[in-house]
Amino acid sequence: MDPQANIESSPPAANAQPYVERSNPMPNGSGSAPQTVTSKDPKAAALAASDLRNIVRRKLTGYVGFANLPNQWHRKSVRKGFNFNVMVVGESGLGKSTLVNTLFNTSLYPPRDRKPPSLDIIPKTVSIQSISADIEENGVRLRLTVVDTPGFGDFVNNEDSWRPIVENIEQRYDAYLDAENKVNRMNIVDNRVHACVYFIEPTGHSLKPLDVEVMRRLHTKVNLIPVVAKADTLTDDEISAFKARILADIEYHHIQIFEGPRYELDDDETIAENNEIMAKVPFAVVGANQEVSTPDGRKVRGRRYPWGVIEVDNEEHCDFVKLRQMLIRTHMEELKEHTNNFMYENYRSDKLTAMGVAQDPSVFKEINPAVKQEEERSLHEQKLQKMELEMKMVFQQKVSEKESKLKQSEEELYARHKEMKEQLERQRQELEEKKSRIESGRPLEEKGKRKGFSLR
Ligand SMILES: Nc1nc2c(ncn2[C@@H]2O[C@H](COP(=O)(O)OP(=O)(O)O)[C@@H](O)[C@H]2O)c(=O)[nH]1
Ligand SMILES: [Mg+2]
């Protein structure tokens, strides 16, 4: 990180005042109570349901004091301050730096001097720059870090443009993982990228192959928030058609963009607010740091054209306010939580598995009772089938054994029968012969030969 880039807090803080939206620094959904669970998580839902069943409701007879817990939390958080790291990705010239300045109402990026044309200024790779600033609003401090990717898409061949970006994100996860593995884990500085604002060129066509490639590389690593850059260059109709095509492309390529979670126990107002924000994705944004005066005499942040003024903070003109609302006012904690619980967790477990730290999958497997029951039932059925098959086989074997035995004894019987028949036949022939001899008066043969032969 460039130490010079650390911009001191005082001037921007003073600057930040006119755009105060809400004094409560706790965004919606932060510090969620155990009952506040998403419908997406069946395990947590089941757990919470069983917890709820065990709750006994009691009316207090006096003031105990735990109603003050949120205030404790508030004071502690304010004392500690917040930090938020946002990355901006997109081809150069799409207004990234301008938008960051507009978002946080500071001049995080001083105007760049453009050098005269020369071969030296053509960058060889996408460089990554990170700038931090401490900003303050109503006594709440925020350490904001913006990770910029100048040079992205500037090359003749942009094939590997995504690589330094992904590497940077992973390095930040690695650093966090290292810090977690140290003996002292109390003061880990969280430098992980919590949100990645992806700038789409306002072509009015659809996503470019480079956009698809980069988003596909990034979506499992960071919370992707796509925006249509320089939306003042498109008409309202063009913007809505362009947005629809972008969303279709995103769905077709199975790119996961950040969606605010839906909490079942949120009040209607919050749900409506979230839906309103999500309906604007991809946000069509306009950046401007200059104050201009409108024809009716107001001073606004905007861009002046011969035909009128486009106001950055006017929701009729662009979605800038909605993007800021999501990034800062309503979803900042959500983005940080999602980064920690999903993006970082996936990276961490992949990394540890690759390092050979094996996990016992059965320990970490989420158990859904219905699925488990189904599994057990099918196991039982399989066992029954196997037993049936075995019994059938034994039966078959016994039958065939019996059959072959029967066959054998039949053959034996047949053979004995044949033998006896032959013997009888022989006896008959001999008797026949004797009879004819006696009749013809010839003497019988030598006695010895007839021994044992009865003539009865
Ligand atoms: N029309 C229009 N021009 C913009 C907008 N935002 C920035 N610009 C201009 O675009 C140029 C490049 O902006 P810059 O913020 O340096 O782009 P970066 O390279 O993405 O950081 C500058 O001349 C800005 O004044 C916008 O929303 N609409
Ligand atoms: Mg820039």
Side-chain angles (χ1 to χ4, degrees):
M1 200 189 295
D2 182 5
Q4 271 195 322
N6 267 321
I7 293 168
E8 269 313 302
S9 61
S10 28
N15 230 348
Q17 293 305 324
Y19 297 96
V20 176
E21 289 182 0
R22 194 200 262 175
S23 57
N24 181 6
M26 301 274 289
N28 285 323
S30 68
S32 28
Q35 298 98 309
T36 318
V37 286
T38 45
S39 51
K40 285 181 201 157
D41 188 351
K43 191 182 157 202
L47 238 163
S50 75
D51 276 357
L52 282 177
R53 243 178 278 127
N54 295 334
I55 288 176
V56 185
R57 293 194 185 278
R58 286 268 181 276
K59 258 212 151 54
L60 296 179
T61 45
Y63 183 74
V64 178
F66 60 80
N68 199 40
L69 276 177
N71 292 338
Q72 287 183 27
W73 187 260
H74 180 147
R75 266 202 307 281
K76 209 172 126 181
S77 307
V78 170
R79 205 180 319 123
K80 255 178 38 189
F82 294 86
N83 87 319
F84 188 58
N85 308 325
V86 54
M87 179 181 246
V88 286
V89 180
E91 289 174 47
S92 64
L94 286 184
K96 298 186 293 296
S97 309
T98 312
L99 192 83
V100 168
N101 285 342
T102 319
L103 259 181
F104 295 97
N105 213 26
T106 69
S107 48
L108 219 52
Y109 292 102
R112 247 205 294 184
D113 315 323
R114 301 278 170 200
K115 294 190 190 116
S118 83
L119 269 180
D120 298 345
I121 64 160
I122 299 175
K124 301 287 180 297
T125 55
V126 179
S127 62
I128 309 267
Q129 294 173 356
S130 111
I131 296 186
S132 296
D134 287 320
I135 51 181
E136 196 176 317
E137 184 178 79
N138 287 3
V140 178
R141 280 175 301 120
L142 175 68
R143 157 69 55 107
L144 168 73
T145 303
V146 177
V147 185
D148 197 356
T149 54
F152 176 80
D154 277 356
F155 317 106
V156 178
N157 177 1
N158 287 303
E159 233 169 51
D160 280 349
S161 288
W162 52 268
R163 200 178 291 279
I165 299 173
V166 170
E167 275 168 7
N168 188 275
I169 293 170
E170 291 185 342
Q171 277 163 13
R172 286 162 186 273
Y173 283 152
D174 282 340
Y176 196 84
L177 188 59
D178 276 352
E180 271 190 333
N181 290 337
K182 292 233 169 75
V183 176
N184 181 2
R185 304 194 305 175
M186 295 309 285
N187 297 312
I188 300 182
V189 183
D190 183 4
N191 284 326
R192 297 169 296 182
V193 175
H194 300 129
C196 174
V197 181
Y198 189 88
F199 286 68
I200 299 165
E201 192 186 341
T203 57
H205 295 202
S206 57
L207 287 185
K208 291 193 264 184
L210 179 63
D211 295 329
V212 173
E213 173 76 14
V214 176
M215 283 165 106
R216 276 177 43 173
R217 299 284 177 176
L218 291 180
H219 75 138
T220 54
K221 302 251 152 52
V222 278
N223 293 312
L224 259 191
I225 302 171
V227 301
V228 176
K230 297 187 174 178
D232 53 332
T233 58
L234 297 175
T235 66
D236 284 354
D237 292 342
E238 283 166 346
I239 284 179
S240 52
F242 189 38
K243 277 186 175 184
R245 241 169 335 224
I246 291 172
L247 286 180
D249 273 358
I250 283 177
E251 195 179 327
Y252 179 80
H253 292 286
H254 306 294
I255 294 166
Q256 182 63 48
I257 55 176
F258 176 73
E259 287 174 7
R262 292 179 191 87
Y263 293 107
E264 270 158 14
L265 298 182
D266 266 351
D267 52 307
D268 293 344
E269 199 187 323
T270 313
I271 293 174
E273 196 181 27
N274 285 348
N275 287 345
E276 216 175 288
I277 292 178
M278 289 307 151
K280 295 284 184 195
V281 174
F283 303 100
V285 294
V286 174
N289 297 312
Q290 311 294 303
E291 284 215 326
V292 293
S293 30
T294 57
D296 54 11
R298 286 175 298 127
K299 282 229 175 265
V300 294
R301 290 196 300 176
R303 312 182 73 84
R304 199 212 318 265
Y305 294 104
W307 49 89
V309 168
I310 180 152
E311 298 170 29
V312 168
D313 296 284
N314 187 335
E315 292 201 38
E316 308 249 297
H317 291 194
C318 69
D319 303 333
F320 170 77
V321 172
K322 282 276 177 283
L323 171 69
R324 181 180 57 189
Q325 193 175 345
M326 173 167 139
L327 270 183
I328 304 171
R329 218 185 80 189
T330 57
H331 286 75
M332 187 185 278
E333 277 304 310
E334 217 48 79
L335 285 161
K336 291 173 75 170
E337 234 179 80
H338 198 258
T339 303
N340 185 54
N341 296 354
F342 293 92
M343 306 301 187
Y344 172 66
E345 202 54 32
N346 283 344
Y347 179 80
R348 185 177 161 276
S349 70
D350 285 354
K351 177 112 189 172
L352 292 182
T353 318
M355 275 162 60
V357 184
Q359 279 189 358
D360 179 358
S362 63
V363 174
F364 294 96
K365 202 168 67 178
E366 283 192 14
I367 295 168
N368 180 342
V371 172
K372 182 134 177 77
Q373 212 174 9
E374 185 58 33
E375 257 173 30
E376 274 171 4
R377 205 173 60 86
S378 77
L379 264 178
H380 186 69
E381 264 173 16
Q382 276 174 14
K383 221 159 124 185
L384 273 182
Q385 266 178 7
K386 203 173 149 210
M387 270 164 71
E388 208 180 307
L389 207 80
E390 274 173 9
M391 273 161 72
K392 259 191 194 156
M393 261 162 61
V394 169
F395 179 75
Q396 207 79 45
Q397 202 184 340
K398 285 251 153 82
V399 166
S400 65
E401 263 174 28
K402 205 79 191 170
E403 265 181 352
S404 70
K405 253 190 196 157
L406 277 174
K407 208 164 175 178
Q408 202 184 339
S409 55
E410 192 186 322
E411 271 168 13
E412 275 173 17
L413 267 175
Y414 187 71
R416 267 228 318 267
H417 173 77
K418 202 173 151 197
E419 201 184 322
M420 275 166 72
K421 221 170 129 184
E422 279 169 5
Q423 211 175 350
L424 281 173
E425 183 60 24
R426 272 202 306 276
Q427 280 183 10
R428 201 183 59 81
Q429 273 177 7
E430 275 174 31
L431 286 174
E432 229 24 93
E433 201 181 318
K434 263 188 197 159
K435 190 182 156 202
S436 64
R437 272 191 207 184
I438 289 167
E439 275 170 1
S440 64
R442 274 187 292 160
L444 288 175
E445 272 172 56
E446 317 91 77
K447 260 186 182 149
K449 236 184 171 180
R450 305 280 161 210
K451 211 168 182 183
F453 191 79
S454 92
L455 267 178
R456 267 177 300 151

